[in-house]
Amino acid sequence: MVDTAGIQALVMAQMALETGVDQTRPIGVNVAQPAPGQVRLDISYTDTTGAVQALSLQTG
């Protein structure tokens, strides 16, 4: 079983440390388990230049 809440909390904590992330804008973190043995992580944020960035990762 995947601890999706734990992964989300870890990513949010790391994003709070990143100097290139605009901390005044919302940070989106979504963790899902689409199938057994798979994890999908989607992160969206605004960088310090005002550009919205998005990253998606999937295991399995």
Side-chain angles (χ1 to χ4, degrees), residues 18-57:
E18 297 295 332
T19 58
V21 175
D22 182 345
Q23 300 297 329
T24 67
R25 302 283 183 114
I27 297 170
V29 177
N30 183 45
V31 182
Q33 189 174 14
Q38 293 183 346
V39 176
R40 180 175 174 89
L41 173 61
D42 298 302
I43 304 168
S44 62
Y45 64 94
T46 303
D47 67 22
T48 54
T49 70
V52 176
Q53 303 293 330
L55 172 67
S56 294
L57 305 165

Side-chain angles (χ1 to χ4, degrees), residues 1-9 31 33 39:
M1 182 197 275
V2 175
D3 180 9
T4 56
I7 294 170
Q8 184 175 17
V31 182
Q33 189 174 14
V39 176

